[in-house]
Amino acid sequence: MTTERRTGRRTPAGAAVLREDVTDAIRGAVFEELAAVGFARMSIEGIARRAGVGKTAVYRRWKSKLHLVLDLVAAVAAQGMPAPATGSLYGDVRSVLELASYALRHPVASQVIPDLLVEAARNPEISDAIKAALLDQQQGVAAVVVRAAVERGELPEGSDPDRALDLIVGPLYWRLTVVRGDLPKGYLDDLAASAVRALKG
């Protein structure tokens, strides 16, 4: 007796089996295409060409470039950024800055993030996805940092995690994404110390 007869199930005729390596290649191509031409000029044709696949392979997985980008943003959000646990407020803030600076200085991310933020101003779906990937996740990290500092007596009860996030990451984002300047030696150390003083003040 065959497996199909024993289980009573059959694989649908013509069912597409989506190869994970092809999916990964397409996702990588999307980042490259976004960095090269931006969301507005990005096309399924360009993505397929970079991935070395046909357009059909892309459309089997996503019905439009918008859905493709939204899926990528959601995947980034799912990876998350671990909350630091160094044992001190300064150490935690410095760790957050290190991780954020690495992400913002990544060759692809440094091109993709500003472009998607521009598109987010025009498209509510992209705006919601960016918020989930960037803001919501970082707010969670800031809440952990603040709660731990309060428990250690480094910050007073009622300290605001949103204010902490603004003070910690805001200047770094401004410098790397808006001004697009380099980080001088010791910049993250000084920024961490300034953020801690501001949070305690």
Side-chain angles (χ1 to χ4, degrees), residues 179-191:
V179 178
R180 302 180 77 82
D182 294 329
L183 297 185
K185 184 177 180 179
Y187 177 83
L188 294 182
D189 296 331
D190 292 342
L191 184 56

Side-chain angles (χ1 to χ4, degrees), residues 53-105:
V53 301
K55 289 190 298 181
T56 304
V58 181
Y59 282 119
R60 281 199 195 107
R61 293 161 173 82
W62 301 277
K63 62 183 180 181
S64 70
K65 70 176 186 179
L66 173 59
H67 288 88
L68 214 172
V69 170
L70 293 177
D71 176 67
L72 273 185
V73 172
V76 170
Q79 293 177 6
M81 183 174 76
T86 65
S88 73
L89 178 58
Y90 174 84
D92 287 353
V93 169
R94 181 63 176 75
S95 180
V96 169
L97 287 171
E98 185 70 36
L99 289 170
S101 69
Y102 176 81
L104 290 172
R105 284 186 289 179

